[in-house]
Amino acid sequence: MKALVAYFSPTGTTKGKSMELAADIGGDLFGIRPVQAYSAAGLDWTNPHSRSSMEMKGNSSVIPEPAETADLHEYDTLFVGYPIWWNRAPRIIDTFLRMEDLHHGEVIP
């Protein structure tokens, strides 16, 4: 089995856990990064006007695009790691899965 651990980790927590998983299973790592990095203010979930809050409200004009895509054709298994925002996956995960032609409905954590 050839596995890829793709992760989104704006604060580094999910990256650490993804690195552990990849090491445990002998998989490759791929960081899902937005074209524009998040600032601390942009991640402030208590501010309804922060970048992350606006993205999660579903405004299509602020949906983040990943900076790059992964070549998934060489993998048998894909693990996707991400923090939980507003009880669901961050919007960049939806975008990543659509770009990879893997999105078939809402991402369920």
Side-chain angles (χ1 to χ4, degrees):
M1 171 188 84
K2 184 158 177 143
L4 177 67
V5 179
Y7 65 90
F8 170 63
S9 185
T11 64
T13 302
T14 304
K15 178 181 180 179
K17 293 299 180 185
S18 297
M19 291 173 69
E20 289 177 26
L21 174 61
D24 287 347
I25 65 171
D28 295 334
L29 275 172
F30 178 79
I32 302 169
R33 297 175 296 108
V35 171
Q36 179 184 356
Y38 288 87
S39 66
L43 291 171
D44 182 3
W45 63 272
T46 64
N47 178 351
H49 302 290
S50 72
R51 178 179 170 189
S52 59
S53 295
M54 297 301 290
E55 288 174 4
M56 295 308 290
K57 287 180 183 176
N59 181 342
S60 62
S61 67
V62 294
I63 300 301
E65 293 286 327
E68 59 188 323
T69 59
D71 182 10
L72 300 181
H73 295 98
E74 63 184 275
Y75 296 98
D76 303 306
T77 304
L78 172 65
F79 294 90
V80 181
Y82 51 84
I84 301 297
W85 289 3
W86 291 263
N87 297 315
R88 69 175 308 272
R91 298 286 181 183
I92 195 167
I93 298 300
D94 295 330
T95 308
F96 172 77
L97 294 175
R98 277 192 193 95
M99 290 174 71
E100 300 296 342
D101 196 27
L102 296 174
H103 192 271
H104 301 286
E106 183 174 335
V107 176
I108 307 296

